[in-house]
Amino acid sequence: MLIREATKSDFEKIWPIFHEIASAGETYAYPRDVTKKDGEKLWMEKPRKTFVAEGEEGILGTYYIKTNHAGPGSHVCNCGYMVPPTSRGKGVATAMCEHSQQVARELGYEAMQFNFVASTNEGAVRLWQKLGFEIVGRLPKAFKHPLKGNVDAFVMYKWLKT
Amino acid sequence: MLIREATKSDFEKIWPIFHEIASAGETYAYPRDVTKKDGEKLWMEKPRKTFVAEGEEGILGTYYIKTNHAGPGSHVCNCGYMVPPTSRGKGVATAMCEHSQQVARELGYEAMQFNFVASTNEGAVRLWQKLGFEIVGRLPKAFKHPLKGNVDAFVMYKWLKT
């Protein structure tokens, strides 16, 4: 698996992944009816950098990194990761999360924060915990899950600077 | 004190307040060298609505309300309040926060979240607590205070729907 920075043309292959995950509405706080154009803006243009994980089969996953807050908060970054169902169970999310922490350090960030992790996304929560992230906040009923109703969301955080 | 929606022309009087507070870097996660144009975008254009509190002396304070996260998070709003030193101690923040909760309910929001409250901003933290907000998260060393160094930031939250 190679993780490399995404190019503009990669979005054609990122979009089906982004669209499937965003429209499901179970894990990401994007509009469920997000358009391709807005998806490109959200995933490719607004972040500081976007990466893809590539295998022989093609793109296995993607992530972005951006500054979470400006000014006095700008030493903390935020990342989002997407792995399509077809490439789950292969360690893609782990590889991308570890890669992103390295990139974050190279970019000078001191910590990484996930702002809005649906508490029902148990696999992700466990994985981030295994990779050193802590649940530092719980937002009661802040995530409207399409099947489970209003569920709590977590804020997760890891200090990166050694 | 009258609290009313801000008009575009109010920004001339909002800007000195915004600039003083943003450039101090002690409470808001805005770039400390924010330009007037970016300030207008951040305070007046990106939010859903912006309000001013007005007294006989002129503008006593200002706040914005916006949707905190899209899609599955869009029932939670976020507000930011600014009161210049010259109009502190008059209940302006309390009046604006209560007003904003009413506006939030009218706009259909179910909860209000403050994403990044510097823990050193003790007066504000106490006031939000008095007004029903709870500290639901603590972000270690996430706020770089110009005098106090890296301090924790709080996530504060209030469920509004009855």
Side-chain angles (χ1 to χ4, degrees):
Chain A
M1 188 187 331
L2 169 78
I3 299 177
R4 62 164 176 81
E5 210 168 332
T7 62
K8 196 166 164 54
S9 66
D10 286 321
F11 190 67
E12 284 305 316
K13 285 175 178 161
I14 291 172
W15 167 245
I17 300 171
F18 182 95
H19 182 251
E20 181 175 5
I21 291 172
S23 65
E26 296 182 2
T27 52
Y28 268 87
Y30 293 132
R32 290 183 66 186
D33 59 353
V34 64
T35 61
K36 191 173 174 184
K37 199 179 153 192
D38 285 344
E40 189 167 8
K41 205 176 290 175
L42 288 163
W43 201 259
M44 307 285 288
E45 292 166 21
K46 280 194 176 175
R48 187 152 168 197
K49 286 175 185 286
T50 305
F51 291 83
V52 288
E54 220 168 21
E56 284 175 12
E57 319 86 306
I59 287 177
L60 303 172
T62 177
Y63 82 86
Y64 73 77
I65 182 165
K66 65 181 173 203
T67 302
N68 201 39
H69 289 292
S74 64
H75 58 298
V76 182
C77 65
N78 163 252
C79 290
Y81 312 84
M82 287 188 172
V83 179
T86 49
S87 50
R88 284 180 195 162
K90 296 176 184 174
V92 180
T94 299
M96 291 198 302
C97 186
E98 284 173 344
H99 188 272
S100 69
Q101 292 177 49
Q102 187 53 40
V103 169
R105 288 189 186 96
E106 285 165 14
L107 292 172
Y109 291 113
E110 299 175 23
M112 189 180 289
Q113 180 175 331
F114 305 146
N115 297 306
F116 202 62
V117 182
S119 57
T120 42
N121 193 1
E122 291 170 13
V125 173
R126 267 197 304 272
L127 183 58
W128 306 146
Q129 285 176 319
K130 197 174 141 193
L131 295 170
F133 288 80
E134 281 179 67
I135 294 173
V136 296
R138 176 187 279 264
L139 309 164
K141 300 187 277 184
F143 194 100
K144 237 178 235 301
H145 191 285
L147 306 171
K148 297 173 185 170
N150 278 6
V151 300
D152 295 353
F154 295 136
V155 181
M156 300 187 74
Y157 192 88
K158 181 178 180 177
W159 190 257
L160 298 175
K161 206 177 165 187
T162 44
Chain B
M1 187 185 335
L2 169 78
I3 299 177
R4 60 165 176 84
E5 211 169 330
T7 62
K8 198 169 163 49
S9 66
D10 286 322
F11 190 68
E12 283 305 316
K13 285 175 180 162
I14 291 173
W15 168 244
I17 301 172
F18 182 95
H19 182 251
E20 180 175 5
I21 291 174
S23 65
E26 297 182 2
T27 52
Y28 268 85
Y30 292 131
R32 291 182 65 186
D33 59 353
V34 65
T35 62
K36 191 173 176 185
K37 200 179 153 192
D38 285 345
E40 188 167 9
K41 205 177 288 176
L42 288 163
W43 201 260
M44 306 286 287
E45 293 167 20
K46 280 195 175 176
R48 189 153 165 196
K49 286 175 185 286
T50 304
F51 291 83
V52 288
E54 221 169 20
E56 282 174 16
E57 319 86 307
I59 288 178
L60 303 172
T62 176
Y63 82 86
Y64 73 77
I65 183 166
K66 67 181 172 199
T67 303
N68 201 38
H69 289 292
S74 63
H75 58 298
V76 182
C77 66
N78 163 252
C79 289
Y81 313 84
M82 287 186 171
V83 179
T86 47
S87 49
R88 284 178 196 163
K90 296 178 183 175
V92 181
T94 299
M96 291 199 300
C97 185
E98 284 173 343
H99 189 270
S100 69
Q101 292 177 49
Q102 187 54 39
V103 169
R105 288 188 186 96
E106 285 165 13
L107 293 172
Y109 292 113
E110 298 174 24
M112 189 181 288
Q113 181 174 331
F114 305 146
N115 297 307
F116 202 61
V117 183
S119 57
T120 42
N121 193 359
E122 291 170 14
V125 172
R126 265 197 306 271
L127 183 59
W128 307 147
Q129 285 177 319
K130 198 175 140 192
L131 295 170
F133 289 79
E134 281 180 67
I135 294 174
V136 296
R138 176 187 279 264
L139 308 164
K141 299 187 277 185
F143 195 99
K144 237 179 237 302
H145 191 284
L147 306 172
K148 297 172 185 173
N150 279 6
V151 301
D152 296 353
F154 295 135
V155 182
M156 301 189 73
Y157 192 87
K158 181 178 180 177
W159 191 256
L160 299 176
K161 208 178 163 187
T162 44

